[in-house]
Amino acid sequence: MTSPSDAVVLIGPMGAGKTSIGKKAARALGVTFFDTDAAVVREHGPIEQLFAERGEAHFRALERAAVAEGLATGGIVSLGGGAVLHPETRADLAASRVVLLTVSPRVVAGRVRDSNRPLLQGDDDAIARWTAIFEERRPVYEELADVTFDTSTGPLQDVVDALVAWVRGENEKEQTK
């Protein structure tokens, strides 16, 4: 996997399991895993610190560069929840297979509780804020997605297995064209 069209890109809201599922799916498929949030942290420091010191716009520019790097790497690429807001990222995703991971607010509450996610800070009701962010981004997520998997119920491994089967099915279809 070396071109953007070879990438399988995971998108979705905070706490949907993009990193956890992405790592396991990459292992199962024998491909690389690239997490754009982890790449930003590795190169520039903690995301919450970037937000506090430089602002969201600066973070989004760094995130955009990480997305381009991830797509060039191929394999499984996990995007931060807001990465799809950038028009160039949305355009780039047209050449990739895009998987939307969703999760219910009830389930995400346990996943993001006590987190340091900047967009959930300073809000008395983090889940209400999460829901508002998700609803605002949902049309973009759904427009970009080739397939959607919900991570709200059952073991995450079931989602990994379904994702791997979908990717392998897509690969088989491409090989027969």
Side-chain angles (χ1 to χ4, degrees), residues 23-91:
K23 285 178 180 177
K24 290 179 179 187
R27 234 182 339 263
L29 291 164
V31 298
T32 59
F33 174 72
F34 189 94
D35 184 306
T36 60
D37 283 347
V40 170
V41 169
R42 191 172 47 250
E43 294 291 322
H44 306 283
I47 293 171
E48 61 275 12
Q49 184 178 344
L50 290 168
F51 263 75
E53 294 176 2
R54 305 291 302 273
E56 184 174 356
H58 179 74
F59 167 74
R60 295 293 175 202
L62 299 175
E63 179 180 57
R64 171 65 193 136
V67 168
E69 180 184 351
L71 292 176
T73 300
I76 303 287
V77 181
S78 171
L79 269 53
V84 297
L85 300 176
H86 198 289
E88 289 177 29
T89 293
R90 289 194 304 271

Side-chain angles (χ1 to χ4, degrees), residues 62-135:
L62 299 175
E63 179 180 57
R64 171 65 193 136
V67 168
E69 180 184 351
L71 292 176
T73 300
I76 303 287
V77 181
S78 171
L79 269 53
V84 297
L85 300 176
H86 198 289
E88 289 177 29
T89 293
R90 289 194 304 271
D92 288 349
L93 293 183
S96 299
R97 292 168 287 172
V98 180
V99 177
L100 170 58
L101 296 180
T102 60
V103 62
S104 72
R106 174 188 53 77
V107 172
V108 86
R111 295 183 187 172
V112 300
R113 183 178 298 120
D114 301 325
S115 80
N116 54 5
R117 296 169 190 257
L119 293 180
L120 299 182
Q121 299 305 304
D123 201 326
D124 289 340
D125 189 350
I127 297 309
R129 177 75 182 124
W130 178 92
T131 301
I133 292 168
F134 179 48
E135 290 305 322

Side-chain angles (χ1 to χ4, degrees), residues 128-150:
R129 177 75 182 124
W130 178 92
T131 301
I133 292 168
F134 179 48
E135 290 305 322
E136 180 182 299
R137 295 174 181 172
R138 183 194 300 259
V140 175
Y141 291 147
E142 290 175 349
E143 179 184 324
L144 294 170
D146 296 311
V147 67
T148 299
F149 297 104
D150 185 75

